Amino acid sequence: MNSTDVSKAMNTLTHGVYVLGVHANDKDNLMTAAWLCQVASSPAMLVVAVSTGHLTADMMKEAGYFTVSVLRDTQKDTAIACGLVSGRKEDKTKLVETEYTEDGIPMIKDAATQLVCKVVDQKVVTNHTLFIAEAVSATQNADEVLLYHQKDFF
Ligand SMILES: Cc1cc2nc3c(=O)[nH]c(=O)nc-3n(C[C@H](O)[C@H](O)[C@H](O)COP(=O)(O)O)c2cc1C
């Protein structure tokens, strides 16, 4: 077996491409995330790692609820728009097609799946906060989803 740089090897892990949506203190924000996975089924729970320095982490702590939009394979531009600029600099809800839950949380219009999630626990791991959340409602619109390959984004 060849010895390889660990961080390079981690790029071979597989991920989907998601957009987190959050509303807190009269502000909306959207953020692309790949480090998200299901961790339990009954009830359905997931974990997402958000850099503690990102505006989204502050807003998720404040709000306690967030949306997950599972992007379609045609929505790569949305992933880039929500993943390369901070909500501190730009209102990302104006950059992409956004719609809102009945409680006013933003999500991506016509995403493959839209989940509303309730934060049930948080843990800081190095420079990321892991948000453990229950998926409390869902809308599914399509089966074809965008997959994450680091070479396609960075
Ligand atoms: C494809 C892709 C995947 C990303 N995955 C994550 C992730 O899982 N966690 C994270 O903290 N940042 C991730 N990012 C980076 C954030 O989306 C980016 O830094 C964003 O501008 C932060 O926005 P905010 O400051 O408005 O919260 C990803 C970016 C891209 C393009």
Side-chain angles (χ1 to χ4, degrees), residues 16-18 20 29-36 48-57 79-88 90 92 128 148 153-154:
V17 186
Y18 311 97
L20 309 180
N29 197 27
L30 296 165
M31 185 202 106
T32 304
W35 293 354
L36 179 153
V48 58
V50 182
S51 174
T52 305
H54 288 347
L55 175 62
T56 301
I80 289 168
C82 297
L84 296 185
V85 64
S86 173
R88 292 194 174 92
E90 192 106 37
K92 288 182 261 186
H128 281 66
Y148 176 73
F153 289 94
F154 299 106

